[in-house]
Amino acid sequence: MTGTTSAVPSRSDAVRNRRLLLDAAAAMFAERGVEVSIGEIAQRAGVGKGTVFRHFSSKDELLAAIMLGMLDELLDTGTALLTAGDPGTALREFMAAGVELFVRDRAFCEVIGRPSLQHAEVRDAIDRLRDVAEGLTARARHQGVVRPDVTGTDVVLLLAGIQHTAAPLLVTEPQAWRRYLQLALDGITTQTGRSLPYPPPSRLPLAPPETDHTP
Protein backbone atom coordinates (compact mmCIF):
# COMPACT_ATOMS: atom_id res chain seq x y z
CA MET A 1 0.00 0.00 0.00
CA THR A 2 1.34 3.40 -0.99
CA GLY A 3 1.41 5.92 1.90
CA THR A 4 0.98 9.66 1.67
CA THR A 5 4.31 11.28 0.81
CA SER A 6 5.67 14.29 2.65
CA ALA A 7 5.64 16.20 -0.66
CA VAL A 8 1.86 16.43 -0.55
CA PRO A 9 0.70 18.52 2.42
CA SER A 10 -2.30 17.29 4.34
CA ARG A 11 -5.43 19.41 4.50
CA SER A 12 -4.64 20.43 8.08
CA ASP A 13 -1.10 21.47 7.04
CA ALA A 14 -2.52 23.48 4.13
CA VAL A 15 -4.98 25.28 6.41
CA ARG A 16 -2.20 25.99 8.93
CA ASN A 17 0.16 27.28 6.22
CA ARG A 18 -2.51 29.56 4.78
CA ARG A 19 -3.15 31.01 8.24
CA LEU A 20 0.59 31.51 8.81
CA LEU A 21 0.91 33.26 5.46
CA LEU A 22 -2.07 35.55 6.07
CA ASP A 23 -0.83 36.47 9.54
CA ALA A 24 2.70 37.14 8.30
CA ALA A 25 1.54 39.12 5.28
CA ALA A 26 -0.93 41.19 7.30
CA ALA A 27 1.76 42.08 9.85
CA MET A 28 4.39 42.96 7.24
CA PHE A 29 2.03 44.93 4.99
CA ALA A 30 0.83 46.85 8.05
CA GLU A 31 4.38 47.65 9.14
CA ARG A 32 6.06 48.38 5.81
CA GLY A 33 3.41 48.77 3.11
CA VAL A 34 2.78 46.81 -0.06
CA GLU A 35 6.39 46.71 -1.31
CA VAL A 36 7.20 43.77 0.97
CA SER A 37 8.32 40.84 -1.18
CA ILE A 38 6.76 37.41 -1.35
CA GLY A 39 10.11 35.96 -0.23
CA GLU A 40 10.12 38.08 2.93
CA ILE A 41 6.54 37.05 3.73
CA ALA A 42 7.39 33.37 3.21
CA GLN A 43 10.44 33.67 5.47
CA ARG A 44 8.42 35.30 8.25
CA ALA A 45 5.73 32.63 7.94
CA GLY A 46 8.34 29.87 8.04
CA VAL A 47 7.38 28.37 4.67
CA GLY A 48 8.87 28.24 1.18
CA LYS A 49 7.96 30.66 -1.63
CA GLY A 50 6.34 27.77 -3.46
CA THR A 51 3.88 27.39 -0.59
CA VAL A 52 2.84 31.03 -1.02
CA PHE A 53 2.01 30.49 -4.69
CA ARG A 54 0.11 27.27 -3.96
CA HIS A 55 -2.30 29.40 -1.93
CA PHE A 56 -2.19 32.72 -3.80
CA SER A 57 -1.47 33.03 -7.52
CA SER A 58 0.06 36.51 -7.15
CA LYS A 59 0.86 39.21 -4.63
CA ASP A 60 -2.40 40.95 -5.59
CA GLU A 61 -4.36 37.82 -4.68
CA LEU A 62 -2.63 37.84 -1.29
CA LEU A 63 -3.37 41.56 -0.88
CA ALA A 64 -7.02 40.89 -1.76
CA ALA A 65 -7.23 38.30 1.03
CA ILE A 66 -5.71 40.78 3.51
CA MET A 67 -8.06 43.53 2.35
CA LEU A 68 -11.05 41.24 2.86
CA GLY A 69 -10.00 40.58 6.43
CA MET A 70 -9.70 44.29 7.19
CA LEU A 71 -12.96 45.16 5.44
CA ASP A 72 -14.77 42.41 7.34
CA GLU A 73 -13.45 43.85 10.61
CA LEU A 74 -14.82 47.31 9.78
CA LEU A 75 -18.08 45.82 8.45
CA ASP A 76 -18.63 43.95 11.71
CA THR A 77 -18.08 47.18 13.67
CA GLY A 78 -20.43 49.18 11.46
CA THR A 79 -23.14 46.53 11.43
CA ALA A 80 -23.15 46.34 15.22
CA LEU A 81 -23.43 50.14 15.43
CA LEU A 82 -26.54 50.18 13.20
CA THR A 83 -28.62 49.28 16.24
CA ALA A 84 -26.89 51.61 18.70
CA GLY A 85 -29.18 53.93 20.62
CA ASP A 86 -27.57 57.23 19.61
CA PRO A 87 -27.15 57.55 15.80
CA GLY A 88 -24.75 60.48 16.09
CA THR A 89 -22.44 58.64 18.48
CA ALA A 90 -22.68 55.50 16.34
CA LEU A 91 -21.50 57.35 13.23
CA ARG A 92 -18.68 58.97 15.19
CA GLU A 93 -17.56 55.57 16.56
CA PHE A 94 -17.68 54.03 13.08
CA MET A 95 -15.53 56.80 11.63
CA ALA A 96 -13.06 56.56 14.50
CA ALA A 97 -12.80 52.78 14.02
CA GLY A 98 -12.26 53.21 10.28
CA VAL A 99 -9.52 55.82 10.57
CA GLU A 100 -7.82 53.84 13.33
CA LEU A 101 -7.80 50.76 11.08
CA PHE A 102 -6.29 52.74 8.21
CA VAL A 103 -3.67 54.29 10.49
CA ARG A 104 -2.79 50.91 12.00
CA ASP A 105 -2.39 49.27 8.61
CA ARG A 106 -0.13 51.13 6.21
CA ALA A 107 -1.05 48.89 3.27
CA PHE A 108 -4.78 49.62 3.42
CA CYS A 109 -4.49 53.04 1.80
CA GLU A 110 -1.44 52.15 -0.33
CA VAL A 111 -3.41 49.41 -2.05
CA ILE A 112 -5.97 51.82 -3.54
CA GLY A 113 -5.78 51.54 -7.31
CA ARG A 114 -4.00 48.17 -7.38
CA PRO A 115 -5.50 45.24 -9.33
CA SER A 116 -6.29 43.51 -6.02
CA LEU A 117 -9.14 45.99 -5.56
CA GLN A 118 -10.70 44.73 -8.80
CA HIS A 119 -11.15 41.34 -7.08
CA ALA A 120 -14.88 40.51 -7.08
CA GLU A 121 -15.01 39.68 -3.38
CA VAL A 122 -13.17 42.88 -2.46
CA ARG A 123 -15.49 44.92 -4.67
CA ASP A 124 -18.49 43.29 -2.98
CA ALA A 125 -17.07 44.00 0.48
CA ILE A 126 -16.46 47.66 -0.43
CA ASP A 127 -20.03 47.95 -1.69
CA ARG A 128 -21.32 46.42 1.56
CA LEU A 129 -19.16 48.83 3.55
CA ARG A 130 -20.68 51.73 1.66
CA ASP A 131 -24.16 50.38 2.39
CA VAL A 132 -23.41 50.07 6.12
CA ALA A 133 -21.94 53.58 6.15
CA GLU A 134 -25.06 54.86 4.38
CA GLY A 135 -27.27 53.19 6.98
CA LEU A 136 -25.34 54.86 9.80
CA THR A 137 -25.34 58.21 8.00
CA ALA A 138 -29.06 57.99 7.21
CA ARG A 139 -29.86 57.43 10.89
CA ALA A 140 -27.73 60.45 11.81
CA ARG A 141 -29.41 62.56 9.08
CA HIS A 142 -32.82 61.55 10.35
CA GLN A 143 -31.83 62.60 13.86
CA GLY A 144 -30.61 65.93 12.48
CA VAL A 145 -27.04 65.56 13.75
CA VAL A 146 -25.32 65.65 10.34
CA ARG A 147 -25.83 67.80 7.28
CA PRO A 148 -28.80 66.63 5.16
CA ASP A 149 -26.64 66.24 2.05
CA VAL A 150 -23.92 64.00 3.55
CA THR A 151 -23.93 60.39 2.29
CA GLY A 152 -22.34 57.12 3.35
CA THR A 153 -20.01 57.30 0.35
CA ASP A 154 -18.82 60.71 1.56
CA VAL A 155 -18.13 59.20 4.98
CA VAL A 156 -16.07 56.27 3.65
CA LEU A 157 -14.01 58.58 1.43
CA LEU A 158 -13.38 60.89 4.38
CA LEU A 159 -11.89 58.00 6.37
CA ALA A 160 -9.03 57.56 3.89
CA GLY A 161 -8.69 61.34 3.56
CA ILE A 162 -8.17 61.74 7.31
CA GLN A 163 -5.49 59.04 7.30
CA HIS A 164 -3.66 60.67 4.39
CA THR A 165 -3.78 64.05 6.11
CA ALA A 166 -2.32 62.72 9.36
CA ALA A 167 0.17 60.29 7.75
CA PRO A 168 3.24 62.61 7.82
CA LEU A 169 2.79 63.08 11.59
CA LEU A 170 2.08 59.55 12.71
CA VAL A 171 5.63 58.36 13.36
CA THR A 172 6.22 61.01 16.02
CA GLU A 173 2.58 61.77 16.89
CA PRO A 174 0.60 58.52 16.48
CA GLN A 175 -2.65 60.05 17.79
CA ALA A 176 -2.57 63.09 15.46
CA TRP A 177 -5.30 61.54 13.33
CA ARG A 178 -7.82 62.29 16.09
CA ARG A 179 -7.41 66.03 15.43
CA TYR A 180 -8.30 65.63 11.76
CA LEU A 181 -11.12 63.23 12.53
CA GLN A 182 -12.66 65.90 14.74
CA LEU A 183 -12.25 68.52 12.01
CA ALA A 184 -14.04 66.18 9.57
CA LEU A 185 -16.80 65.47 12.08
CA ASP A 186 -17.28 69.19 12.66
CA GLY A 187 -17.55 69.64 8.90
CA ILE A 188 -20.31 67.07 8.42
CA THR A 189 -22.27 68.10 11.53
CA THR A 190 -22.20 71.87 11.09
CA GLN A 191 -25.57 73.15 9.87
CA THR A 192 -24.61 76.06 7.60
CA GLY A 193 -27.87 76.32 5.69
CA ARG A 194 -25.89 75.90 2.46
CA SER A 195 -25.83 72.83 0.25
CA LEU A 196 -22.55 71.27 -0.80
CA PRO A 197 -21.43 72.68 -4.19
CA TYR A 198 -21.06 69.32 -5.94
CA PRO A 199 -23.25 66.18 -5.93
CA PRO A 200 -22.09 63.07 -4.02
CA PRO A 201 -20.26 60.35 -5.98
CA SER A 202 -22.45 57.50 -7.13
CA ARG A 203 -20.03 54.85 -5.87
CA LEU A 204 -16.65 54.46 -4.26
CA PRO A 205 -13.80 54.68 -6.80
CA LEU A 206 -11.39 51.78 -7.09
CA ALA A 207 -8.57 53.56 -8.90
CA PRO A 208 -7.59 57.09 -9.84
CA PRO A 209 -8.58 58.11 -13.38
CA GLU A 210 -5.91 57.80 -16.03
CA THR A 211 -4.35 61.08 -17.04
CA ASP A 212 -3.58 61.81 -20.67
CA HIS A 213 0.02 63.05 -20.77
CA THR A 214 0.01 63.59 -24.54
CA PRO A 215 1.62 66.99 -25.26
Side-chain angles (χ1 to χ4, degrees), residues 114-183:
R114 289 182 67 101
S116 54
L117 274 188
Q118 310 298 332
H119 193 285
E121 289 181 80
V122 175
R123 176 72 262 178
D124 179 65
I126 290 172
D127 286 342
R128 286 187 285 118
L129 181 64
R130 179 204 56 203
D131 292 343
V132 168
E134 179 55 37
L136 291 165
T137 307
R139 294 179 73 224
R141 286 197 308 263
H142 181 73
Q143 193 186 44
V145 295
V146 299
R147 298 174 59 121
D149 48 1
V150 170
T151 71
T153 300
D154 291 327
V155 165
V156 176
L157 290 172
L158 280 172
L159 302 182
I162 294 164
Q163 187 274 342
H164 279 299
T165 300
L169 303 170
L170 294 175
V171 172
T172 56
E173 301 179 63
Q175 297 299 309
W177 61 271
R178 295 185 183 279
R179 175 182 179 87
Y180 301 103
L181 172 62
Q182 188 58 55
L183 284 170

